[in-house]
Amino acid sequence: MESRPFCCRMLSLFEPAPPNRLPEIHQRLLAHYGRPAARDVWDPLTQLIYSLLSARTKTEVSLQIIRDLRNRFDGWDGDWTRLRDAPIAEIQEVIRPVTHYEKKSYQLKDTLQQISSRIGVLRLEPLAKYRTEKIRAWLEQLPGVGVKTSAAVVNFTTLHRRALCIDGHHQRIAQRLGLSSSKADARQVEADLMALVPEDWTPEMLDEDHSLFKLHGQTLCTLNELRCTRCPLLDLCPTGKERATPKRGPYPAG
């Protein structure tokens, strides 16, 4: 029998989770936290703007900024023409509370200009005729748009597609649970989790799963503090079980 190359043997050290693991985790988080509040479903362009600005910024700040932008630039009906045509200084004045607002102001204006040029109209609804993978690849060519943002745009909005938005909380918890390799980036984590998603999960179920992971990451499985003894996933979590196992000291001499 021919042996596998060393690189493949190394990759096989990460064993995929059982097919029912993600639904079990979902149900436990749902029982622990309750059903997340229903999302306000936006048009895809508004979601794109929000996602571009919300990186490394608290949710409540980001939500206020999108309201301020809608008020300043008449964006309540999804028409962002005035924002696209506004001077950078005016955009920066509104989005100043977000992290890295100077860089994001240029990315935002450039993104809106590119959408207008490439589609012929400042809307993303025309992309609905394409497969999800093609829409995401198209979006990820825009300034500042990565895998997390493209997933949010296709899943959270009226595009209504199956995708998992992998933010920092989602990625960290998936890796701690052994659902993905500790070295995996967001794109690989999403691929690993989507392989565990039941075929009958709707886009709303995937959104709910994202919200539950995010809430868990903000509450018990935080970046700097793991409250494993209170975690409803402890018996499923390699990281938690390792932390909960008493460490034995050296045997006494004698």
Coordinates of all heavy atoms in Angstrom, one line a residue, residues 13 18 39 51 89 99 129 136 160 165 170 181 226 241:
L13 N -3.9 15.2 10.8 CA -3.9 15.3 12.3 C -5.1 16.0 12.8 O -5.5 15.8 13.9 CB -2.6 16.0 12.7 CG -1.3 15.3 12.5 CD1 -0.1 16.1 12.9 CD2 -1.3 13.9 13.3
P18 N -17.8 15.1 14.0 CA -18.9 14.2 13.6 C -19.9 15.1 12.9 O -20.1 16.3 13.2 CB -19.4 13.6 14.9 CG -18.3 13.7 15.9 CD -17.5 14.9 15.5
R39 N -33.1 39.8 13.1 CA -32.3 40.8 12.4 C -33.2 41.7 11.5 O -34.1 41.2 10.9 CB -31.2 40.1 11.5 CG -30.3 41.0 10.8 CD -29.4 40.3 9.9 NE -28.5 39.4 10.7 CZ -27.4 39.7 11.3 NH1 -27.0 41.0 11.3 NH2 -26.7 38.8 12.0
S51 N -20.9 46.6 7.1 CA -19.8 45.7 7.4 C -18.4 46.3 7.2 O -17.5 46.0 7.9 CB -20.0 44.4 6.5 OG -21.2 43.7 6.8
A89 N -13.8 64.4 3.2 CA -13.9 65.1 4.5 C -15.3 65.0 5.1 O -15.4 64.9 6.4 CB -13.5 66.6 4.3
T99 N -13.4 52.7 14.2 CA -12.0 52.5 14.2 C -11.4 52.6 12.8 O -12.0 52.1 11.9 CB -11.7 51.1 14.8 OG1 -12.4 50.9 16.0 CG2 -10.2 50.8 14.9
K129 N -28.7 37.3 -9.7 CA -28.9 36.3 -10.8 C -27.7 35.3 -10.8 O -27.8 34.3 -11.5 CB -29.0 36.9 -12.1 CG -27.8 37.8 -12.5 CD -28.1 38.5 -13.8 CE -26.9 39.4 -14.2 NZ -27.2 40.2 -15.4
R136 N -19.9 36.3 -4.1 CA -18.8 36.5 -3.1 C -17.5 36.8 -3.7 O -16.8 37.7 -3.2 CB -18.8 35.3 -2.1 CG -20.1 35.1 -1.3 CD -19.9 34.0 -0.3 NE -18.9 34.4 0.7 CZ -18.7 33.6 1.8 NH1 -19.3 32.5 1.9 NH2 -17.8 34.0 2.7
H160 N -30.4 36.6 0.6 CA -30.9 35.4 1.2 C -30.2 34.1 0.7 O -30.8 33.2 0.2 CB -32.4 35.3 0.9 CG -33.2 34.4 1.8 ND1 -33.8 33.2 1.3 CD2 -33.4 34.5 3.1 CE1 -34.4 32.6 2.3 NE2 -34.2 33.4 3.4
C165 N -21.1 33.8 8.3 CA -20.3 34.9 8.5 C -19.3 34.6 9.7 O -19.8 34.5 10.9 CB -21.1 36.2 8.8 SG -20.2 37.6 9.2
H170 N -16.6 33.8 16.3 CA -17.0 32.5 15.6 C -15.8 31.7 15.3 O -15.7 30.5 15.6 CB -17.8 32.9 14.3 CG -18.8 31.8 13.9 ND1 -19.9 32.1 13.3 CD2 -18.8 30.5 14.1 CE1 -20.6 31.0 13.0 NE2 -19.9 30.0 13.5
S181 N -9.1 23.7 12.4 CA -7.7 23.7 12.9 C -7.4 25.1 13.5 O -7.9 26.1 13.1 CB -6.7 23.5 11.7 OG -5.4 23.9 12.0
L226 N -11.9 32.4 29.7 CA -12.7 31.3 29.4 C -13.4 30.8 30.6 O -12.8 30.4 31.6 CB -11.9 30.1 28.8 CG -11.3 30.3 27.4 CD1 -10.1 31.2 27.4 CD2 -10.9 29.0 26.8
K241 N -12.1 20.9 28.3 CA -11.8 19.7 29.0 C -10.4 19.7 29.5 O -10.1 19.2 30.6 CB -12.2 18.4 28.2 CG -13.7 18.2 28.1 CD -14.0 16.9 27.5 CE -13.7 16.8 26.0 NZ -14.2 15.5 25.4

